[in-house]
């Protein structure tokens, strides 16, 4: 996951539904923890809009602005294929743009790069704490302190503050990520012209309920074949 991905979605966690505009890439499957294949959709360049698809400009110093000048809240994310997608008039292909209502979900992740950064913060703090003690100890050995106990407490206080700040800095690097869920009211903002020889199909929810993975696998094959 890139540093610019989903960094703003957390701002809307637990704040109800908002409208988002996104570009459809393709439909595929991901395997969940139980080993079941779940049909998922890759969306790119996700930004905030109102219910009429008018762009809502964000103004934060760490915003990522794409090539079209849009303040995106995610460069890409995966969402589940749910019933509202089947209400579209026809199949989506790479480049189609849509907007919809959705809520933010949070989930735990295991990211080695984040874990390493967290470990480095703590190890650096411990090394600095050790240096504080060594400097204090060396000075104490060479200078007979009159207020030994007071200087000891001051030294320990410096160590505590250093490690407390390290914990706070670690907490800023959360091992969580965000995605869109409970998507509904999907509308198409822009259809792209299909490549020659490619025919858009209609999504069939009844067929999906009957055939499950067999049907979603066919949809995924058709969707991914267009991107090749």
């Amino acid at each position: 996951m890139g540093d610019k991905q989903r960094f703003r979605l957390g701002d809307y966690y637990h704040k109800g539904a908002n409208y988002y505009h996104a570009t459809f890439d393709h439909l595929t499957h991901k395997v969940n923890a139980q080993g079941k294949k779940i049909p998922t959709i890759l969306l790119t360049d996700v930004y905030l809009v109102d219910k009429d698809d008018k762009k809502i400009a964000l103004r934060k110093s760490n915003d990522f602005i794409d090539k079209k000048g849009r303040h995106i809240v995610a460069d890409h994310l995966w969402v589940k294929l749910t019933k509202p997608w089947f209400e579209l008039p026809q199949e989506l292909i790479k480049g189609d743009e849509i907007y919809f209502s959705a809520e933010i979900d949070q989930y735990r992740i295991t990211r080695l790069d984040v874990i390493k950064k967290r470990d480095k913060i703590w190890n650096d703090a411990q090394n600095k704490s050790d240096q504080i003690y060594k400097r204090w100890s060396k000075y104490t050995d060479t200078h007979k302190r009159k207020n030994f106990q007071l200087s000891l407490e001051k030294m320990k206080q410096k160590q505590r503050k250093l490690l407390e700040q390290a914990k706070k800095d670690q907490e800023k690097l959360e091992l969580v990520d965000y995605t869109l869920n409970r998507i509904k009211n999907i509308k198409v903002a822009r259809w792209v012209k299909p490549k020659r020889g490619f025919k858009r199909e209609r999504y069939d929810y009844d067929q999906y309920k009957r055939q499950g993975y067999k049907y979603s696998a066919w949809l995924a094959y058709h969707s991914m074949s267009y991107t090749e």
Side-chain angles (χ1 to χ4, degrees):
M1 184 182 73
D3 290 337
K4 296 168 182 173
Q5 183 188 353
R6 295 189 284 268
F7 67 96
R8 288 297 302 273
L9 285 179
D11 292 350
Y12 307 100
Y13 184 51
H14 282 325
K15 293 185 179 179
N18 285 294
Y19 277 84
Y20 300 89
H21 185 115
T23 300
F24 180 89
D25 193 276
H26 68 275
L27 169 66
T28 185
H29 287 82
K30 286 185 174 289
V31 180
N32 66 10
Q34 291 73 41
K36 184 179 179 181
K37 292 181 178 179
I38 305 297
T40 54
I41 293 167
L42 174 61
L43 299 177
T44 62
D45 297 334
V46 183
Y47 61 93
L48 202 63
V49 294
D50 64 16
K51 63 182 179 63
D52 298 314
D53 196 33
K54 292 183 179 179
K55 181 175 61 177
I56 297 176
L58 307 176
R59 291 291 183 267
K60 281 196 174 182
S61 60
N62 64 341
D63 276 351
F64 176 63
I65 302 175
D66 68 8
K67 294 178 180 178
K68 295 182 179 180
R70 300 173 300 199
H71 293 243
I72 65 173
V73 294
D75 57 6
H76 73 279
L77 51 80
W78 297 92
V79 298
K80 294 178 182 178
L81 177 69
T82 51
K83 187 176 180 181
W85 293 93
F86 290 88
E87 296 169 0
L88 288 166
Q90 57 183 337
E91 175 186 19
L92 294 173
I93 59 176
K94 185 178 177 68
D96 287 337
E97 294 184 34
I98 56 175
Y99 64 103
F100 49 84
S101 170
E103 296 179 36
I104 305 299
D105 265 3
Q106 183 188 79
Y107 59 95
R108 300 291 299 177
I109 58 170
T110 301
R111 282 185 52 194
L112 187 59
D113 61 326
V114 176
I115 292 173
K116 285 182 177 179
K117 287 178 182 178
R118 287 164 66 105
D119 289 344
K120 186 178 186 305
I121 289 171
W122 186 251
N123 291 335
D124 288 349
Q126 285 188 316
N127 289 335
K128 288 180 182 178
S129 177
D130 291 342
Q131 290 300 317
I132 289 172
Y133 172 77
K134 288 176 181 178
R135 287 195 296 269
W136 173 84
S137 180
K138 183 177 180 180
Y139 187 87
T140 300
D141 288 343
T142 55
H143 298 76
K144 302 301 179 183
R145 292 182 186 271
K146 294 180 180 179
N147 299 313
F148 175 83
Q149 192 62 35
L150 180 61
S151 68
L152 176 63
E153 284 303 316
K154 286 184 176 180
M155 183 274 296
K156 288 184 176 180
Q157 186 178 26
K158 285 183 180 179
Q159 288 180 309
R160 283 195 297 271
K161 285 184 176 180
L162 186 67
L163 295 178
E164 285 171 2
Q165 185 59 50
K167 287 182 179 179
K168 290 179 181 178
D169 291 341
Q170 281 184 312
E171 289 172 358
K172 292 177 183 177
L173 298 174
E174 293 182 290
L175 285 172
V176 297
D177 208 344
Y178 300 91
T179 190
L180 298 176
N181 203 358
R182 292 173 286 282
I183 292 176
K184 59 184 180 180
N185 300 328
I186 306 171
K187 295 181 175 60
V188 177
R190 174 179 172 267
W191 298 101
V192 297
K193 185 178 180 179
K195 299 174 184 176
R196 181 177 296 180
F198 187 91
K199 180 184 176 183
R200 292 181 188 263
E201 301 291 340
R202 290 184 62 88
Y203 295 133
D204 189 330
Y205 187 66
D206 290 335
Q207 189 173 354
Y208 177 56
K209 288 203 305 184
R210 289 195 309 269
Q211 295 183 317
Y213 174 70
K214 184 177 179 180
Y215 178 60
S216 63
W218 182 86
L219 287 177
Y221 170 77
H222 200 245
S223 177
M224 294 184 71
S225 68
Y226 186 79
T227 66
E228 296 174 352

